[in-house]
Amino acid sequence: MTADKDHQTQANEGSILIVDDNPSNLRVLSQMLSGRGYSVRPVTDGYLVQAGVRASPPDLILLDISMPDMDGFEVCRRLKADEESRDIPIIFISAMSEIEDKIKAFTAGGVDYITKPFQLDEVIARIETHISLRNLQKQLEAANHELTDYRNYLEEIVKERTKELEKANQKLQQEINDRKLIEAKMLSSQRLVDLGTLAAGITHDMKSPLQVIVGISESLKKQIENGSPDKEYIAEKLDIINRNGWRIEAVMRSLLSYVRYSGSENEPHDLNSLIKETLLLIEHQLNIWANVEVITELEEYIPVLRCDRTKISQALINLLMNARDAMPSGGKITIRTIFQKAENRVLLQVEDTGVGIPQEIQSKIFDSFFTTKPVGQGTGLGLTNVMETIQLYQGKIELSSVVNHGTTFSLYFPVKPAASKSSEK
């Protein structure tokens, strides 16, 4: 039992192919190496080496140089030229001791050179060293192979995940596009609703001056028909007609400016004038807001803004409507403009004395469709529109709010130089 185990251990030392045309040398080497536990195969002809190696690759080859039909150098060169045998370590063992022969052996691909007569311990030590190196090389190759397989596996996983992410991204992009489309439609619908509300208010505002004009004109007509016109009376009444006519013209001009697309984001506009025209547009609504006072604090000299007047007007209306809704019991709304020269920007503030915005929802108020109003009383797009407008002009918006004390929205518009004609082209 012990002998079998020892034999099995010996067989595990490695396999060696011995190539020598001298049977006596083959016998001596074979016996020595077999006694040390190596599996030995002797070959006497250099032409048979390649076939033997292909049939059963050894762990190491001991190769004689002087052989009649094919010398060891040529055998080595052929083995190294074959992909299946090029990595097998070859130790030359020869009586040729000239330095030229050794160089020739290493040039052909040998890993070591043993000169005859040799010492057994030296041969064993060199064999063990090169077989150990060969085993380490095999382990490294196996590890590299495993790494390559694992890398390929990871690459496949990455490809699959990439495809999944691309699909998810496409789906997300479609959802974003759908959401933007819904927002655009809702903003368009809200704009039509706002326009209808403005038109109704303007119709009401125009009714009074028209009644005055009609009434006074009929009175003047009767005086003329009776043949007793009073010049001072006529002049006074014509002045009233003139003022009311200009009043109607101003209201209509503001409405036309609001509904007409300017066609350019780079047209110069006076922000104070835009604010006054916007207040004129919603004058009727301001008049019916119970206990709400609108105050303007407009800096007299501020630079013009290059913008789309309609978008700025709509943003201001949205802020005013929000301020009104925040003051169900009434209060004050202050509209303020300031030119901040150091920062080269214009500040537009809308401040109210309403209920304020709780801290926990302040980060959400600019999100699309977010609203604190009851269902049916708000689209949740008003402040989104304000944010998009200020971002369009590379500005920024700040919110300051204290519950039960009020809210201030600050819009900062950078002052931009006029575009040159060459850049416009």
Side-chain angles (χ1 to χ4, degrees):
M1 184 76 170
T2 305
D4 291 341
K5 185 175 181 180
D6 291 341
H7 178 74
Q8 185 177 6
T9 303
Q10 291 175 350
N12 289 335
E13 293 295 330
S15 61
I16 299 176
L17 182 69
I18 304 175
V19 185
D20 197 322
D21 64 331
N22 188 321
S24 178
N25 290 339
L26 280 177
R27 184 172 60 256
V28 172
L29 282 171
S30 298
Q31 289 176 350
M32 288 192 307
L33 295 176
S34 297
R36 291 300 184 99
Y38 291 99
S39 174
V40 178
R41 282 189 295 152
V43 176
T44 58
D45 190 339
Y47 283 103
L48 300 177
V49 173
Q50 276 190 299
V53 168
R54 288 177 181 173
S56 178
D59 294 315
L60 183 138
I61 298 174
L62 286 178
L63 180 59
D64 186 26
I65 295 177
S66 299
M67 292 185 291
D69 296 325
M70 183 187 298
D71 65 22
F73 298 134
E74 181 61 25
V75 172
C76 184
R77 282 192 286 267
R78 293 192 180 189
L79 288 173
K80 294 302 176 180
D82 191 336
E83 186 174 353
E84 294 183 10
S85 58
R86 65 176 53 170
D87 293 327
I88 299 173
I90 298 175
I91 298 177
F92 283 94
I93 185 165
S94 173
M96 300 169 64
S97 59
E98 297 296 327
I99 187 66
E100 291 82 2
D101 297 319
K102 295 181 180 180
I103 292 174
K104 192 173 181 180
F106 286 118
T107 303
V111 296
D112 209 340
Y113 195 101
I114 300 174
T115 304
K116 298 177 183 177
F118 51 78
Q119 297 293 323
L120 176 61
D121 291 339
E122 177 189 359
V123 174
I124 295 300
R126 297 195 183 208
I127 288 175
E128 287 178 351
T129 297
H130 289 292
I131 287 183
S132 295
L133 289 174
R134 175 56 180 157
N135 289 336
L136 289 174
Q137 183 183 10
K138 287 180 179 180
Q139 292 173 13
L140 181 60
E141 290 173 354
N144 286 336
H145 185 70
E146 288 181 7
L147 286 174
T148 300
D149 289 343
Y150 191 64
R151 184 189 65 190
N152 294 336
Y153 168 73
L154 290 178
E155 287 178 352
E156 287 299 319
I157 291 178
V158 170
K159 287 180 181 179
E160 292 178 5
R161 295 293 185 271
T162 302
K163 289 180 180 178
E164 292 175 2
L165 286 174
E166 287 175 351
K167 290 181 180 178
N169 187 51
Q170 290 175 357
K171 184 179 179 181
L172 179 60
Q173 189 60 50
Q174 185 60 48
E175 291 177 355
I176 292 173
N177 293 338
D178 292 344
R179 188 182 182 92
K180 287 183 177 179
L181 182 60
I182 293 172
E183 286 182 21
K185 289 181 177 180
M186 292 190 69
L187 282 172
S188 179
S189 299
Q190 184 62 45
R191 181 170 167 77
L192 290 175
V193 172
D194 293 343
L195 186 58
T197 303
L198 290 176
I202 288 172
T203 301
H204 185 276
D205 287 343
M206 291 174 59
K207 185 176 181 181
S208 295
L210 283 173
Q211 286 174 339
V212 171
I213 291 172
V214 171
I216 292 177
S217 62
E218 288 180 352
S219 174
L220 291 176
K221 182 179 178 183
K222 287 180 181 181
Q223 283 206 11
I224 293 173
E225 288 175 351
N226 292 335
S228 57
D230 182 340
K231 289 184 178 180
E232 290 185 4
Y233 178 81
I234 291 175
E236 179 186 347
K237 297 303 180 184
L238 285 176
D239 184 59
I240 296 174
I241 290 174
N242 182 269
R243 289 200 306 272
N244 281 275
W246 280 112
R247 166 73 176 170
I248 293 172
E249 191 276 338
V251 172
M252 291 303 299
R253 185 175 64 251
S254 297
L255 180 61
L256 287 173
S257 296
Y258 177 77
V259 300
R260 184 171 54 228
Y261 175 61
S262 69
S264 174
E265 303 286 354
N266 198 42
E267 291 183 359
H269 295 288
D270 178 61
L271 181 59
N272 290 342
S273 297
L274 284 178
I275 292 171
K276 292 173 184 177
E277 290 178 5
T278 302
L279 292 176
L280 184 60
L281 274 176
I282 63 173
E283 185 177 31
H284 174 68
Q285 291 168 277
L286 296 177
N287 290 333
I288 64 175
W289 288 354
N291 302 318
V292 174
E293 179 184 4
V294 177
I295 302 170
T296 57
E297 298 177 0
L298 309 180
E299 187 171 322
E300 187 173 358
Y301 299 107
I302 61 173
V304 296
L305 292 182
R306 296 190 170 274
C307 60
D308 180 343
R309 61 183 300 138
T310 304
K311 291 180 179 177
I312 302 299
S313 182
Q314 181 64 56
L316 179 57
I317 289 174
N318 288 335
L319 290 174
L320 290 173
M321 295 300 179
N322 268 23
R324 185 275 315 270
D325 293 340
M327 300 186 299
S329 301
K332 290 182 180 181
I333 299 175
T334 302
I335 304 173
R336 185 180 297 111
T337 59
I338 301 172
F339 174 46
Q340 298 178 327
K341 189 174 182 179
E343 293 83 5
N344 195 33
R345 63 187 183 185
V346 174
L347 168 62
L348 167 61
Q349 283 186 329
V350 177
E351 178 183 295
D352 66 61
T353 57
V355 296
I357 303 172
Q359 182 69 34
E360 59 269 18
I361 67 169
Q362 289 186 15
S363 62
K364 303 177 183 178
I365 62 172
F366 295 106
D367 294 346
S368 301
F369 308 113
F370 179 81
T371 180
T372 58
K373 299 174 185 177
V375 177
Q377 294 187 21
T379 61
L381 293 174
L383 290 178
T384 302
N385 171 259
V386 175
M387 173 65 81
E388 290 176 350
T389 298
I390 194 68
Q391 289 177 340
L392 180 65
Y393 302 109
Q394 290 79 51
K396 69 174 184 176
I397 184 169
E398 291 180 351
L399 164 67
S400 175
S401 186
V402 179
V403 175
N404 296 325
H405 285 80
T407 298
T408 301
F409 285 95
S410 299
L411 282 65
Y412 298 91
F413 294 91
V415 176
K416 297 181 179 179
S420 64
K421 291 184 179 180
S422 60
S423 65
E424 288 176 353
K425 290 179 182 179

